[in-house]
Amino acid sequence: MIGDLYLSWSSDEEILKRGEYGGVVSSLLKFALENKIVDAVLAVKKRDENRYDGVLTLITDPEEVIECAGALHCAPLNIAKNIRDYFEGSKDMKIAVTCKPCDARAIIELAKREQINIDNLILIGLNCTGTLLPRIAEKMIEEEYRVNPNNIVREDIDDGKFIIELEDGSKEERDLFELEEKGYGRRENCRRCEISIPRMADIACGKWGTTGHKATFIEICTEKGSKLMYKAIEAGCIRVEKPAKEAMEERDRKEKEALELSKKWQEKNFSEIEDLNYEERLEYWFKDFDRCIKCFSCRDACPICYCIECRLEVDRDFIPGGVLPPDKLFHITRLAHVGDSCVNCGQCQDVCPMEIPVSKLFHMLNKELSPLFEYVPGRAVDEEPPLVTVKEKESRIDEPYLFLKKKSTS
Ligand SMILES: Cc1cc2nc3c(=O)[nH]c(=O)nc-3n(C[C@H](O)[C@H](O)[C@H](O)COP(=O)(O)OP(=O)(O)OC[C@H]3O[C@@H](n4cnc5c(N)ncnc54)[C@H](O)[C@@H]3O)c2cc1C
Ligand code: SF4
Ligand code: SF4
Ligand code: SF4
C-alpha cells in the first residue's frame, strides 16, 4: 500500500553482494524486465569500470541489470532531458528508470507539459543528499585525502561526512561542510537541495534507517510502485521485513538533518539579497546576467526548457537577425518560462562557460515564487504550474498549451 515502509533484500546472492545496500533496486529492475512489465530499463553504470564516469545505459537483457549495481555519487546525469530527447518522452516504450529526487521532479514537470508520458515510466527513486562533479571529486580525493582517486572502491555521504573506501576495506572521512567551504564536495545546487527522499517517484529507496543491516529501506509512494513491489515479493525476488521503530526514527532524523544543512546553505547563498532595495536587487541580478555570452548552453541543458521553437533564437518573436540578443532579455525570458518550475537540478550552472551562478539565481527566484503560488515544482503530476504560457508553434504538442493558475482566474 502507498506509504508502506520496508527493510528489504534481494534474494539473488550475486545482486545482494554487488548491490550498494540490499540490492533491491537491481532486483526490481530485473524483475520488471523478466516479466515484461517494462520494455527496457534506464540505469546508470561505470564506463570502463571508472566510477567517476557514470553514464546512462538502456538495458533490455535482464542479465545485464547487475552491471549497474552500486551508487555513483559523481554522476549528476540529466535523466529527464534524456528521456524527453532520446526516447521521445517514452511515448511508445515502457521504461523503468532509476532517478534521484531532482530527476524525478524534472520528469514530473515534463509530464505536466506533455513532453513525457509518465504512464509508460516506472520511477525507481533513490534518496539523495548530493552529487559531485567528477573532476572536482578526483582533485578533492588527491588533495584532501592524499589518496589516488583510482584506488577508491566506494564513496558515500553520511552524517555530514564524505567517506571514501579503499580496496583493502579501510575508510577515510572528512567533514563535508569544511570540504565545501574550501570549494570541494557537492555541487552548489545539491548543498541547497531540500528534497532527499523522492516521494514523487513510484518507490523511494535508500540506506537511511538500515544501520547494522546491508538492506535497502523502501517507501512505497504510488499504486504503480505498490504493484511492482508486491509482485516481486510474491515471486520471491525480494524479501522484506517491517522496520523497527528505531529504524524509522533514524531515517526521519537523517532526513531532517539533511534539510537543516540545506537551509544553512540556502541562507548562506540567498542572504546576499535580503536587505537590498528594488534597484539594488536588479543590479544584483544583472551583474551576473550582463556577463552572459549567449552560448545557449544553460537553455539546452535545462530539462524544463522544452519549447522546440525557442523565442530567443534569431528571427523568432524577440530577436531579429543582424543584432545580438539584448543582454537582459535572454535571462528574463528564461526566468518567465521556467522560474516557477525550476527543480534546482544544477544542470544549467554546470555547463556555463562564464561560471554564472545560473542555478542559484533561478532557485533563489523559485524560493520567492513558491510560497506565493503555493507551488512546489515536481511534487505531483496533478499540480499545475502557475505561470507557463507556451504558444502552439513553440510546443511539441498539438493543442496550444496555456497554463493559468486556477485561483487567479476564478
Ligand atoms: C548520488 C546518490 C546519493 C545517495 N544519497 C543517499 C542518502 O543520502 N541517503 C540514503 O538513504 N540513500 C542515498 N542514496 C541511495 C543509496 O545509496 C542506494 O542507491 C539505495 O539504497 C539503493 O540501494 P540498492 O542496493 O537497492 O541499489 P542497487 O541494487 O545497488 O542499484 C543501484 C541503482 O542505482 C542507480 N544509480 C547509481 N548511481 C546513480 C546516479 N548517480 N543517478 C541515478 N541512478 C543511479 C543504478 O542505475 C543502479 O541500478 C544515494 C544514491 C545516490 C546514487
Ligand atoms: S539536486 Fe538534490 S536530488 Fe539532485 S543530485 Fe543534488 S542533492 Fe541529489
Ligand atoms: S533552471 Fe537550471 S536548475 Fe532550474 S531546472 Fe533548469 S537547469 Fe535545473
Ligand atoms: S550558459 Fe552561461 S554564458 Fe551561456 S547562455 Fe547560459 S548564462 Fe549565458
Side-chain angles (χ1 to χ4, degrees):
M1 265 172 54
I2 296 173
D4 280 354
L5 303 173
Y6 290 109
L7 279 186
S8 54
W9 297 265
S10 171
S11 307
D12 179 317
E13 283 306 316
E14 191 55 24
I15 293 183
L16 191 57
K17 198 166 102 203
R18 289 175 57 179
E20 183 72 11
Y21 284 89
V24 171
V25 171
S26 300
S27 278
L28 286 173
L29 297 174
K30 189 171 178 222
F31 176 79
L33 262 186
E34 279 170 344
N35 292 279
K36 309 211 179 317
I37 297 168
V38 293
D39 305 310
V41 152
L42 196 54
V44 178
K45 76 173 194 184
K46 291 178 248 173
R47 194 180 59 84
D48 291 340
E49 285 310 302
N50 181 343
R51 59 182 310 104
Y52 305 94
D53 274 351
V55 290
L56 263 185
T57 178
L58 189 76
I59 302 173
T60 49
D61 176 355
E63 295 311 315
E64 286 178 15
V65 168
I66 194 167
E67 290 169 20
C68 297
L72 296 179
H73 293 79
C74 310
L77 302 165
N78 200 340
I79 294 176
K81 182 176 156 60
N82 278 267
I83 296 175
R84 182 194 68 190
D85 291 353
Y86 302 126
F87 301 101
E88 289 185 89
S90 200
K91 193 162 62 117
D92 303 314
M93 194 183 199
K94 286 192 173 10
I95 304 177
V97 55
T98 61
C99 45
K100 305 178 302 303
C102 59
D103 302 315
R105 294 174 70 198
I107 288 170
I108 283 176
E109 284 303 309
L110 287 173
K112 289 175 195 177
R113 292 160 172 82
E114 299 183 25
Q115 304 300 303
I116 280 185
N117 179 3
I118 203 149
D119 293 338
N120 272 349
L121 293 179
I122 301 182
L123 306 185
I124 309 289
L126 304 175
N127 295 0
C128 179
T129 44
T131 45
L132 293 84
L133 291 173
R135 300 294 84 85
I136 289 184
E138 285 177 325
K139 190 160 180 268
M140 173 182 85
I141 290 163
E142 258 166 12
E143 295 193 352
E144 294 293 318
Y145 295 72
R146 300 276 162 209
V147 165
N148 180 339
N150 298 326
N151 295 340
I152 307 283
V153 292
R154 200 163 173 263
E155 71 287 319
D156 209 352
I157 296 170
D158 206 16
D159 278 336
K161 304 272 190 288
F162 188 80
I163 306 155
I164 56 170
E165 190 175 325
L166 303 174
E167 279 159 341
D168 63 5
S170 62
K171 290 184 182 176
E172 291 262 352
E173 60 178 46
R174 300 281 183 276
D175 185 86
L176 190 58
F177 198 72
E178 283 173 19
L179 287 171
E180 286 171 354
E181 288 274 297
K182 293 183 189 172
Y184 292 124
R186 299 166 300 164
R187 296 151 71 224
E188 193 191 84
N189 61 303
C190 293
R191 300 172 194 171
R192 295 189 307 266
C193 176
E194 293 171 16
I195 300 187
S196 48
I197 300 185
R199 295 188 175 92
M200 68 295 296
D202 294 305
I203 299 178
C205 310
K207 64 181 176 190
W208 288 342
T210 63
T211 310
H213 306 269
K214 195 178 180 274
T216 310
F217 197 113
I218 296 280
E219 178 168 347
I220 295 179
C221 308
T222 64
E223 284 300 336
K224 212 194 281 179
S226 175
K227 258 194 206 159
L228 175 66
M229 183 74 184
Y230 290 112
K231 277 187 188 164
I233 297 172
E234 233 173 74
C237 274
I238 52 178
R239 54 196 177 84
V240 295
E241 112 185 355
K242 286 274 172 204
K245 189 166 157 271
E246 295 74 32
M248 294 194 282
E249 284 170 358
E250 183 203 72
R251 182 172 181 261
D252 288 347
R253 176 178 62 76
K254 294 211 175 206
E255 187 184 15
K256 272 197 199 103
E257 284 171 2
L259 182 61
E260 276 162 27
L261 187 60
S262 72
K263 293 278 181 202
K264 212 160 134 182
W265 273 109
Q266 283 184 15
E267 267 170 43
K268 211 170 148 60
N269 283 182
F270 299 161
S271 60
E272 292 162 3
I273 59 160
E274 246 163 40
D275 300 323
L276 302 186
N277 63 32
Y278 177 72
E279 279 80 23
E280 288 166 335
R281 275 190 172 217
L282 277 183
E283 201 182 315
Y284 174 89
W285 284 81
F286 291 146
K287 85 175 174 335
D288 280 316
F289 288 163
D290 286 350
R291 293 175 51 243
C292 170
I293 57 170
K294 321 288 174 339
C295 70
F296 284 73
S297 303
C298 54
R299 180 208 62 177
D300 291 346
C302 178
I304 313 295
C305 243
Y306 67 92
C307 302
I308 39 167
E309 289 199 11
C310 178
R311 287 174 171 209
L312 292 165
E313 284 180 357
V314 177
D315 286 335
R316 300 272 150 72
D317 291 5
F318 286 4
I319 319 286
V323 294
L324 283 170
D327 281 335
K328 295 165 186 46
L329 190 61
F330 182 85
H331 289 283
I332 291 172
T333 308
R334 275 206 75 231
L335 279 168
H337 271 204
V338 303
D340 60 335
S341 296
C342 168
V343 294
N344 182 41
C345 66
Q347 298 291 340
C348 50
Q349 194 161 326
D350 289 345
V351 295
C352 178
M354 295 301 285
E355 300 185 13
I356 294 170
V358 201
S359 175
K360 179 176 98 170
L361 295 168
F362 276 62
H363 190 201
M364 189 186 277
L365 178 77
N366 185 264
K367 289 298 293 178
E368 297 207 3
L369 292 179
S370 189
L372 286 179
F373 291 124
E374 297 164 27
Y375 181 72
V376 178
R379 183 170 55 185
V381 183
D382 55 6
E383 291 176 352
E384 281 184 1
L387 280 182
V388 181
T389 53
V390 172
K391 285 184 179 172
E392 185 172 9
K393 71 170 187 172
E394 294 168 326
S395 166
R396 287 173 204 214
I397 54 177
D398 300 334
E399 293 296 313
Y401 200 47
L402 184 72
F403 286 114
L404 285 174
K405 178 113 175 120
K406 282 195 186 115
K407 253 199 250 167
S408 62
T409 53
S410 59

